[in-house]
Amino acid sequence: MKTKAAVLYRPNTPMVVETLDLQDPHEGEVLVKVAAAGVCHSDYHVMKGEWTTPLPVVLGHEGAGIVERVGPGVKNVKAGDHVVLNFRPNCGWCPHCVRGQPVLCAGSSTPRNEMFSGGSRLSRGGETVHHFARTSCFSQYTVVQESGAVPVRHDMPLDKAALIGCSVMTGVGAVINTAKVQAGSSVVVLGCGGVGLNCIQGAVLAGAGQIVAVDIKQNKLDYAREFGATDLINASNQNPVQAVLEITGGGADYAFEALGRAETIRQTYDSIRPGGMAVVVGMAPENDEVSINALSLPRNEKILMGSYYGSARPWIDLPRLVDLYMAGRLRVDELITRSYPLEEINDAYEALARGDGARSIIAFE
Ligand SMILES: [Zn+2]
Ligand SMILES: [Zn+2]
């Protein structure tokens, strides 16, 4: 079949919206008609050449849609299901999956630009077009693994469901699954974009006492306040670490970095109290390094850890987040500041680069 998709041919060039060939789903795969896809920063790393993945590629890893049909052997998803796309489909049987850490799944020997059984389902004029994160939802239709299409209730609006699939899961999950923030504790969030705002509302859900938001843009701090931040620090006109230490009386219990930058990772580590936990959620360029004072680790018993995709167990957590949204306990509408048609996807990424709004989405007819 044919699908209209946004194709990246070279870093630092605009994506080209064109018609591609899409194979039918193979064994264990699912064809999804995409309803909406989020404009997330991770795809932007590939556009800027900061992450390497084979090109040409159809990006997009935050999406939702409706199952069109399923390949042989698919048991848990059927045509007509409304699904949130899970960009870490997993095998179910490797040690990481069995341990309950499916985002670390090592059960497939193929790279993440290919399906589990190998190869791409996308092509143009006989030339391979690669997948991204086995999701590639900047396309009207996409083929994903069965475990990459998580059914959710039909009354969930699909544009909001798309954001559940990356930014909401990543931010809320970092707080609830990875750090397991305790009620009453103090939390700092550095970077108040799509993921950072979700760290803030994760902290609200966890019952955190003090929630300190740090950003250099006043519009993002205003969003942070709406999402439940109790204190705001504009890092463009003050040292954020000193400000956090003052506000929290010696350092926060937990701090979350939602930017993926060496400097702010260091600031996150410096913002926690002795025995506190610093969690890196933001995704940095591939070759960046971060340095911290070595002696501070044992002497202050600080915990520095990473959180990937909110330590999600997607088949449990994505439907759960949908339920929280439907119960009015999770803000997603407020995250979506603009919607673009696929043809204007390059404009959407220019707006992201400028730091406009919280999150925009690509809406498909
Ligand atoms: Zn993302
Ligand atoms: Zn696995």
Side-chain angles (χ1 to χ4, degrees), residues 90-94 97 105-107:
N90 65 300
C91 75
W93 297 104
C94 74
C97 283
C105 176

Side-chain angles (χ1 to χ4, degrees), residues 62-243:
E62 177 179 80
I66 299 175
V67 174
E68 188 85 1
R69 57 179 178 273
V70 303
V74 169
K75 296 188 191 73
N76 299 296
V77 182
K78 60 182 187 309
D81 280 353
H82 290 205
V83 292
V84 175
L85 300 178
N86 154 28
F87 66 84
R88 291 296 290 184
N90 65 300
C91 75
W93 297 104
C94 74
H96 298 299
C97 283
V98 173
R99 198 190 295 122
Q101 295 179 290
V103 297
L104 305 179
C105 176
S108 171
S109 57
T110 59
R112 291 186 63 216
N113 59 292
E114 296 186 10
M115 304 303 287
F116 281 174
S117 61
S120 173
R121 306 293 168 259
L122 290 160
S123 60
R124 183 167 186 272
E127 298 290 319
T128 296
V129 176
H130 298 278
H131 296 259
F132 178 65
R134 299 192 175 105
T135 311
S136 292
C137 57
F138 292 157
S139 175
Q140 286 174 309
Y141 291 89
T142 187
V143 170
V144 300
Q145 299 298 145
E146 179 178 15
S147 59
V150 181
V152 296
R153 49 198 275 189
H154 282 226
D155 54 354
M156 176 70 192
L158 287 169
D159 54 344
K160 316 299 189 307
L163 267 67
I164 300 272
C166 174
S167 64
V168 178
M169 182 70 250
T170 299
V172 174
V175 174
I176 289 176
N177 289 345
T178 312
K180 300 184 175 67
V181 163
Q182 307 266 308
S185 57
S186 56
V187 169
V188 175
V189 177
L190 279 86
C192 300
V195 169
L197 291 174
N198 279 298
C199 290
I200 290 169
Q201 64 174 340
V204 172
L205 279 171
Q210 203 171 22
I211 304 173
V212 184
V214 182
D215 206 287
I216 55 169
K217 290 206 151 201
Q218 192 56 43
N219 68 333
K220 304 236 163 165
L221 291 170
D222 294 340
Y223 288 126
R225 171 82 75 192
E226 276 176 47
F227 274 70
T230 58
D231 298 85
L232 308 178
I233 295 172
N234 190 325
S236 71
N237 55 28
Q238 58 187 317
N239 179 323
V241 174
Q242 264 171 16

Side-chain angles (χ1 to χ4, degrees), residues 3 54 57-58 96 100 120-121 129 163 188 202 223 232 271 274 291 297 310 315 324 331 352-353:
T3 184
V57 64
V58 175
H96 298 299
S120 173
R121 306 293 168 259
V129 176
L163 267 67
V188 175
Y223 288 126
L232 308 178
S271 295
S291 76
L297 277 164
W315 283 65
L324 284 168
R331 290 165 182 259
L352 174 137

